[in-house]
Amino acid sequence: MSPGSFPGAEAALSSPSRFKTWNPGSQSHGRVCRGSIIVSGLALSHPRRSDSIRFLRRGKWRRSPLKSRLYILAENRVFTQDGANPVPDLDQQRQHQVYVPAAGILPLNLDVENFKGNSSDLTFKEARKESPFEQEAWRLLRASIVQYQGCPVGTIAANDPTDASALNYDQVFIRDFVPSGIAFLLKGEPAIVRNFLLCTLRLQSWEKTVDFYSPGQGLMPASFKVQSVAAEEDTCEEILDPDFGEAAIGRVAPVDSGLWWIILLRAYGKSTGDLSLQERMDVQTGIRMILKLCLSDGFDMFPTLLVTDGSCMIDRRMGIHGHPLEIQALFYSALQCAKEMLIPDEKSHQLLTAVNSRLSALSFHIREYYWLDIAKLNEIYRYKTEEYSHDAVNKFNIYPEQIPDWLADWMPDHGGYFIGNLQPAHMDFRFFSLGNLWAIVSSLATPQQSSGILDLIQDRWKHLVGSMPLKICFPAFENEEWRIITGGDPKNTAWSYHNGGSWPTLIWQARNHEKMIHGKKNSDAALLLFDTCIKMGRSEVAYEALEIMERRISRDRWPEYYDSRTGKFIGKQSRLFQTWSIAGYLVAKQLLANPEAATYLTCEEDPGLLDAFSCRISSKQPKKA
Ligand code: GLC
């Protein structure tokens, strides 16, 4: 078919720029715009006959495989692939967009009438050709899907055919599923996410005991497995078998699971526009149970959550017990998401008040006391200690001697970061990527602090990104410190695994914060890699870096983590075909094509909290001279 054989194509050819420069942010169709992506080409497909689409980009016709059916709106008409069947009378405003019915929401045989009448239920997708790496990643991600009673409910942690002992990598981990879930949401396939959220919700109220002791009610498992058990009359029955930490190595309760669950629930609502899930009574109860567990009274003096070592992504002893940044950033994010989703009624009234006051106390505490830059470091260096008073400068009695040797040289003149942990007489000065990135995503960091973190990453690119983004933490514990702090853990030796290893999955989180930085909405500077490179005026380097990563990660068979100071080696005990490495890459690619979708995860600064924050700052006791 020649492109000129129907009017939409002619229009596209005569003014191709019109088809490249639409800005999703400028489209305002109310709910219709939720999750919309405007194509940079004109997509063509027949709803019944085609399994691929043709689209016009840079004046050339290209073809891309298609899973769902596409409808094309151009020149106020709907076109099918053969150019026939133009359907007039479509809303002028909705021109030039490609609409894909979201799987699980609309019947597949959706016709134009349905489409016109019920467009708020649609997800928009870009007619973008996937690279061979993306295609491979999708194939692998789909192969990792776990079914329960005939429905997809999650993805296993790793699908490594070369590894005989799966340990618990054949389970669906809550935290690991988050990038998988986001990838499916961005693909317009939300059913698996919905099923996952409901299955794990059921597990939340499971009876659980560890040596005669029952942990808190709202606890979400670290992972679960679908087991086949014998039932009556020689039949088999599938059951969900959760692990709340009672079987996990080290018996650690996963504090992050419930927080991730809330974050994913909100992302589901944002991307599909289907708020009925979060409004269900059982789901509202689930949110409240998690919040109650996190907000319950204890002995704490700080608004940060007090947890044991290994209760998050770093699920082994790594000296992060106390108030680790990662948990605090996820906690802050989950509180904000929950606040948005909780239906205000009698039951939630008190809880919402508690959420609000915790949010402002938490942001004050982290912004004030976790932030480290060269000026603050200098202040700590000159700290007086043993100050007994309400107006102490050195509130946590930090001895300047604990400033590590590497830090003074490592800290750039511009920028800074949130330290890993804060306790009485203890600051963990290590840089933790997930906590810092999620502090940006959730607006826990101020805009200045967010830029400061980026400045630091830009400055310390070699150390934090190196040959494979992204270091889980920097630097590693070595020698005696490693022996004492990790307990001599052979998996966590210096620059390996949790102890300074490089984790490809972290790339999707890096990708997310773009919108929050410098107030740049819908900017091209998306991925952390991209953002920093573009700031350096070297965007071509950024794209090249992603390509290198793409080539390498596929060639290396999608490892879980990389070792060495710069992430050159595939991790010593790294699983291959690790699902969240695959999903993380896919999310990064999808978000790159559709930066606006980052809003499924990001939270805006609440102006009310800002006011509370400035009140606290101004009412602070005067400092000692
Ligand atoms: C490792 C990681 C943990 C992850 C699990 C499954 O234990 O430390 O974060 O959830 O593997 O991939």
Side-chain angles (χ1 to χ4, degrees), residues 157-158 168-169 173 175-176 312-316 491 497-498 503 560 578 580:
N168 52 355
Y169 281 83
F173 276 75
R175 73 176 74 85
D176 293 40
C312 51
M313 178 184 180
I314 297 180
D315 56 0
R316 297 163 81 89
K491 214 171 164 185
Y497 201 41
H498 301 136
W503 290 64
E560 179 186 14
Q578 179 80 17
W580 69 353

Coordinates of all heavy atoms in Angstrom, one line a residue, residues 157-158 168-169 173 175-176 312-316 491 497-498 503 560 578 580, ligand 1:
A157 N 11.6 -15.2 40.8 CA 12.8 -14.3 41.0 C 13.8 -14.6 39.9 O 14.4 -13.6 39.4 CB 13.4 -14.5 42.4
A158 N 14.1 -15.8 39.6 CA 15.1 -16.1 38.6 C 14.7 -17.4 37.9 O 14.1 -18.3 38.5 CB 16.5 -16.3 39.2
N168 N 15.3 -20.2 47.1 CA 14.0 -19.6 47.0 C 13.8 -18.7 45.8 O 12.9 -17.9 45.7 CB 13.7 -18.8 48.3 CG 14.8 -17.8 48.6 OD1 15.8 -17.7 47.9 ND2 14.6 -17.0 49.6
Y169 N 14.7 -18.8 44.8 CA 14.6 -18.0 43.6 C 13.5 -18.5 42.7 O 13.2 -17.9 41.7 CB 16.0 -18.0 42.8 CG 17.0 -17.1 43.5 CD1 17.7 -17.5 44.5 CD2 17.2 -15.8 43.0 CE1 18.7 -16.6 45.1 CE2 18.1 -14.9 43.5 CZ 18.8 -15.3 44.6 OH 19.7 -14.5 45.2
F173 N 8.8 -13.0 44.6 CA 9.2 -12.0 45.7 C 8.4 -10.8 45.5 O 8.2 -10.3 44.4 CB 10.7 -11.7 45.6 CG 11.6 -12.7 46.3 CD1 11.9 -13.9 45.8 CD2 12.1 -12.4 47.6 CE1 12.7 -14.8 46.4 CE2 12.9 -13.3 48.2 CZ 13.2 -14.5 47.7
R175 N 9.1 -7.6 46.4 CA 9.9 -6.5 45.9 C 10.4 -6.7 44.5 O 10.4 -5.8 43.7 CB 11.1 -6.2 46.9 CG 12.2 -7.2 46.8 CD 13.4 -6.7 47.7 NE 13.1 -6.9 49.1 CZ 13.3 -8.0 49.8 NH1 13.7 -9.1 49.2 NH2 13.0 -8.1 51.1
D176 N 10.7 -8.0 44.2 CA 11.1 -8.3 42.8 C 10.0 -8.1 41.8 O 10.3 -7.8 40.6 CB 11.7 -9.7 42.7 CG 12.9 -10.0 43.5 OD1 13.0 -9.5 44.6 OD2 13.8 -10.7 43.0
C312 N 15.2 -5.5 53.9 CA 14.7 -4.9 52.7 C 15.5 -5.6 51.5 O 15.8 -6.8 51.6 CB 14.9 -3.4 52.7 SG 16.6 -2.9 53.2
M313 N 15.8 -4.8 50.4 CA 16.5 -5.4 49.3 C 17.8 -6.1 49.8 O 18.2 -7.2 49.3 CB 16.8 -4.4 48.3 CG 17.6 -4.9 47.1 SD 18.0 -3.5 46.0 CE 18.9 -4.4 44.7
I314 N 18.5 -5.4 50.7 CA 19.7 -6.0 51.3 C 19.2 -6.9 52.4 O 18.9 -6.5 53.5 CB 20.6 -4.9 51.8 CG1 21.1 -4.1 50.6 CG2 21.8 -5.5 52.6 CD1 22.1 -3.0 50.9
D315 N 19.0 -8.2 52.0 CA 18.3 -9.1 53.0 C 19.3 -10.0 53.8 O 18.9 -11.1 54.1 CB 17.2 -9.9 52.3 CG 17.7 -10.7 51.1 OD1 18.9 -10.7 50.8 OD2 16.8 -11.3 50.5
R316 N 20.5 -9.5 53.9 CA 21.5 -10.3 54.8 C 22.1 -9.2 55.6 O 22.0 -8.0 55.4 CB 22.5 -10.9 53.9 CG 22.0 -12.0 53.0 CD 23.0 -12.3 51.9 NE 24.0 -13.2 52.4 CZ 24.0 -14.5 52.3 NH1 22.9 -15.0 51.7 NH2 24.9 -15.3 52.7
K491 N 29.4 -14.5 50.7 CA 28.6 -14.0 49.6 C 28.8 -12.5 49.5 O 28.8 -11.9 48.4 CB 27.1 -14.3 49.7 CG 26.5 -14.6 48.4 CD 25.1 -15.2 48.5 CE 24.5 -15.0 47.1 NZ 23.1 -15.4 47.0
Y497 N 27.9 -8.6 45.4 CA 26.5 -8.7 45.9 C 26.1 -7.5 46.7 O 26.1 -6.4 46.1 CB 26.5 -10.0 46.8 CG 25.2 -10.6 47.0 CD1 24.2 -10.7 46.0 CD2 24.8 -11.1 48.3 CE1 23.0 -11.3 46.3 CE2 23.6 -11.7 48.5 CZ 22.7 -11.8 47.5 OH 21.4 -12.4 47.8
H498 N 25.6 -7.6 47.9 CA 25.1 -6.4 48.6 C 26.3 -5.5 49.1 O 26.0 -4.4 49.5 CB 24.4 -6.8 49.9 CG 23.2 -7.7 49.6 ND1 22.9 -8.8 50.4 CD2 22.2 -7.6 48.7 CE1 21.8 -9.4 50.0 NE2 21.4 -8.7 48.9
W503 N 23.9 -3.6 40.6 CA 22.6 -4.3 40.3 C 21.9 -3.7 39.2 O 21.3 -2.6 39.3 CB 21.8 -4.2 41.6 CG 22.3 -5.1 42.7 CD1 23.5 -4.9 43.4 CD2 21.7 -6.3 43.3 NE1 23.7 -5.9 44.3 CE2 22.6 -6.7 44.3 CE3 20.5 -7.0 43.1 CZ2 22.3 -7.9 45.0 CZ3 20.3 -8.1 43.8 CH2 21.1 -8.5 44.8
E560 N 22.0 -11.3 38.0 CA 21.3 -10.6 39.1 C 22.2 -9.4 39.5 O 21.7 -8.3 39.8 CB 21.3 -11.6 40.2 CG 20.7 -11.2 41.5 CD 20.8 -12.2 42.6 OE1 21.6 -13.2 42.4 OE2 20.1 -12.1 43.7
Q578 N 17.9 -13.4 35.9 CA 17.2 -12.8 37.0 C 16.1 -11.9 36.6 O 16.3 -11.0 35.8 CB 18.2 -12.0 37.9 CG 17.7 -11.4 39.1 CD 17.6 -12.4 40.3 OE1 18.2 -13.4 40.2 NE2 16.8 -12.0 41.3
W580 N 14.2 -9.6 37.9 CA 14.1 -8.1 38.0 C 15.2 -7.3 37.3 O 15.1 -6.1 37.1 CB 13.9 -7.7 39.5 CG 15.0 -7.9 40.5 CD1 16.2 -8.5 40.3 CD2 15.0 -7.4 41.8 NE1 16.9 -8.5 41.5 CE2 16.2 -7.8 42.4 CE3 14.1 -6.7 42.6 CZ2 16.5 -7.4 43.7 CZ3 14.4 -6.3 43.9 CH2 15.6 -6.7 44.5
Ligands
GLC1 C1 18.3 -11.6 47.0 C2 18.2 -10.1 47.1 C3 16.8 -9.7 47.4 C4 15.9 -10.3 46.4 C5 16.0 -11.8 46.3 C6 15.3 -12.5 45.2 O1 18.1 -12.2 48.3 O2 19.0 -9.6 48.1 O3 16.7 -8.3 47.4 O4 14.6 -10.0 46.6 O5 17.4 -12.2 46.1 O6 15.7 -12.0 44.0

